[in-house]
Amino acid sequence: MTENDAEKARPAGDRPDAEQSANWAAQPAPQQPDATGLGGHATPHTGAQQAYPAEQQQYNPWSPQAQTQAQQTQTQQTQEHQAQGQYTQGHQIPGQQTPFTQPGPSVYAVPQQRQAQKSTSGKLLAGVAAIALVVGGVAGGTVGYLTGDGSGGSAVNALDAPKPAQQTGNLPAGSVESVAQKLSPSVVELQVSGRSGAGEGSGFVLSTDGYVLTNNHVVEVAAGGGQIQAVFQDGKKGTATVVGRDPTTDIAVVKVSGVSGLTPVELGRSDDLRVGQPVVAIGSPFELTGTVTSGIVSALNRPVSAGGNGDQTTVMSAVQTDAAINPGNSGGPLANMAGQVIGINSAIYSPKSAQGQGGETGGNVGIGFAIPIDQARRTADDIINTGQATQTFIGARVQTAPTGGAQLGEISPGSPAEKAGLKSGDVVTKLDDRSIPNADALVAEIRTRAPNDKVKFTLSGDKVIEVTLGGQPVTPN
């Protein structure tokens, strides 16, 4: 997903009102984004109509003529045999054709050449249906016997069977159930309001004293004196305040007061994730608190630009998943099957509506993105310890090169880029062993590293330069 994509990822966060709706779409990437991230950047089946023999076409035992003939024949038989004293029920006069050759009705399709007789046939079939209903009790008893054990015993009814034993609390390790049981008490719904609107999202508990990790775009509406209420799985509620936030990585920390007995999550790691491994997402999509979904890791290190404000575009090297993520899931945990949090659900891919009206579907299409927990953990630790996030940077503007890669623009004096010997016009094609196809990829990869990390830039022409990354405090918008 590049800065030129017509369809961007968008936050899977709160449900804003009309005034907020513009914040759901990704901001267009500028022509000269900054590598620091602070610059301008059932088909219906046809029943086969079975043909029947010609003699059946000539004689239909259910036709009115056949019924009349049968009644006349039976009357004649009765009169003759009563006169002779030889009447026997079911006797058939030689040469006469009995109207019932086998038990039960037979329905015949109307041949094409007899279209004019449809009304008569319709009445006949309605009559047959009425007969079936009238004798339903008798027929039902017969069918019950024939489909039973054939010995005349009583029918078996599932409603008469006793309830099975209740499930025990011993859930299989590594199951979705066990992950949900472990994590759900630590997941919180955040109901947010401020001067510019209201919405809701998710978060998860970091500490027993109330620190909760979430997305910046979930709580930013309350940053200027708004209100945040935290609602836990057991119904407990508490007031939360913003401790700090980083719009460039879409991470924020809030602290909940007035609630005790909180259960922190167990944090995992995101540097050893594998494509195809199962994961579980928990959150409050569309205000449905405590919703659990599951899927797999669909891709890793996916450069995604989503949900920024003004000129501070959020760019992250995301974990892609097909676990269902919807508006309201933002800030909630993405966990491995050990119940360890390995990402923060943050954005979803929203294609244009099928109606072609330019709107967005607004729901899950199987493409969601999470911030890797390794990056989120470092940012959250900075916020809790200092009240401010620290951003990794190199001090150069960057844009996508025409032939691929990230082309460096203006180099800031005294910056890590200048100290390493990078020049304006250099095209970065790799960072360590990671391919860099565009500007967003370079920005995302730099942000996944920590300040003072040493990385190798491979430039076009295979020149390699080692850069020591810098760090600078983030000023929220």
Side-chain angles (χ1 to χ4, degrees), residues 98-137:
T98 177
F100 299 98
T101 58
Q102 58 182 3
S106 299
V107 179
Y108 294 87
V110 179
Q112 292 293 331
Q113 64 270 25
R114 297 176 61 187
Q115 295 293 331
Q117 298 183 7
K118 282 185 177 180
S119 60
T120 303
S121 175
K123 293 179 182 178
L124 175 61
L125 291 177
V128 173
I131 293 172
L133 290 173
V134 170
V135 300

Side-chain angles (χ1 to χ4, degrees), residues 297-368:
V297 172
S298 302
L300 295 169
N301 309 307
R302 187 75 78 188
V304 174
S305 174
N309 267 329
D311 62 355
Q312 293 181 317
T313 302
T314 297
V315 179
M316 58 180 172
S317 181
V319 178
Q320 182 181 328
T321 180
D322 68 348
I325 297 175
N326 286 289
N329 270 115
S330 268
L334 185 70
N336 60 24
M337 302 314 290
Q340 301 167 330
V341 178
I342 51 88
I344 305 175
N345 301 316
S346 301
I348 56 177
Y349 181 73
S350 291
K352 297 286 182 67
S353 67
Q355 289 74 20
Q357 301 300 317
E360 294 181 341
T361 60
N364 170 62
V365 294
I367 304 176

Side-chain angles (χ1 to χ4, degrees), residues 166-184 337:
Q166 286 188 330
Q167 299 183 67
T168 67
N170 299 322
L171 299 177
S175 66
V176 175
E177 294 170 277
S178 65
V179 174
Q181 186 182 64
K182 178 179 180 179
L183 268 183
S184 291
M337 302 314 290

Side-chain angles (χ1 to χ4, degrees), residues 275-290:
V275 173
Q277 78 174 78
V279 288
V280 175
I282 306 179
S284 303
F286 298 106
E287 301 182 29
L288 299 173
T289 305

Side-chain angles (χ1 to χ4, degrees), residues 387-429:
Q388 199 169 28
T390 301
Q391 183 187 56
T392 308
F393 79 109
I394 62 169
R397 298 181 70 85
V398 59
Q399 66 180 2
T400 299
T403 57
Q407 184 173 354
L408 302 183
E410 180 184 353
I411 307 292
S412 300
S415 66
E418 185 186 58
K419 292 177 181 178
L422 292 170
K423 306 294 183 183
S424 177
D426 285 343
V427 176
V428 181
T429 58

Side-chain angles (χ1 to χ4, degrees), residues 229-474:
Q229 184 178 57
V231 182
F232 293 86
Q233 182 194 40
D234 58 4
K236 292 179 182 178
K237 297 181 179 180
T239 301
T241 56
V242 177
V243 177
R245 57 196 184 90
D246 179 5
T248 65
T249 57
D250 200 19
I251 293 171
V253 175
V254 301
K255 190 170 185 181
V256 182
S257 59
V259 179
S260 60
L262 300 182
T263 304
V265 299
E266 180 184 356
L267 299 180
R269 57 190 301 165
S270 52
D271 61 353
D272 64 349
L273 293 176
R274 298 181 301 276
V275 173
Q277 78 174 78
V279 288
V280 175
I282 306 179
S284 303
F286 298 106
E287 301 182 29
L288 299 173
T289 305
T291 296
V292 178
T293 59
S294 64
I296 63 169
V297 172
S298 302
L300 295 169
N301 309 307
R302 187 75 78 188
V304 174
S305 174
N309 267 329
D311 62 355
Q312 293 181 317
T313 302
T314 297
V315 179
M316 58 180 172
S317 181
V319 178
Q320 182 181 328
T321 180
D322 68 348
I325 297 175
N326 286 289
N329 270 115
S330 268
L334 185 70
N336 60 24
M337 302 314 290
Q340 301 167 330
V341 178
I342 51 88
I344 305 175
N345 301 316
S346 301
I348 56 177
Y349 181 73
S350 291
K352 297 286 182 67
S353 67
Q355 289 74 20
Q357 301 300 317
E360 294 181 341
T361 60
N364 170 62
V365 294
I367 304 176
F369 304 101
I371 301 170
I373 198 61
D374 292 350
Q375 177 180 348
R377 183 175 195 155
R378 185 179 66 252
T379 302
D381 193 53
D382 285 343
I383 290 173
I384 292 173
N385 291 329
T386 69
Q388 199 169 28
T390 301
Q391 183 187 56
T392 308
F393 79 109
I394 62 169
R397 298 181 70 85
V398 59
Q399 66 180 2
T400 299
T403 57
Q407 184 173 354
L408 302 183
E410 180 184 353
I411 307 292
S412 300
S415 66
E418 185 186 58
K419 292 177 181 178
L422 292 170
K423 306 294 183 183
S424 177
D426 285 343
V427 176
V428 181
T429 58
K430 289 179 67 176
L431 191 156
D432 289 338
D433 60 350
R434 192 70 44 76
S435 176
I436 303 297
N438 52 45
D440 278 357
L442 179 60
V443 174
E445 286 302 321
I446 290 173
R447 288 180 178 168
T448 62
R449 268 66 173 182
N452 299 316
D453 279 356
K454 295 183 184 298
V455 297
K456 292 180 179 180
F457 281 21
T458 300
L459 308 181
S460 56
D462 294 330
K463 182 179 180 180
V464 178
I465 294 180
E466 186 176 80
V467 181
T468 300
L469 302 177
Q472 59 186 9
V474 176

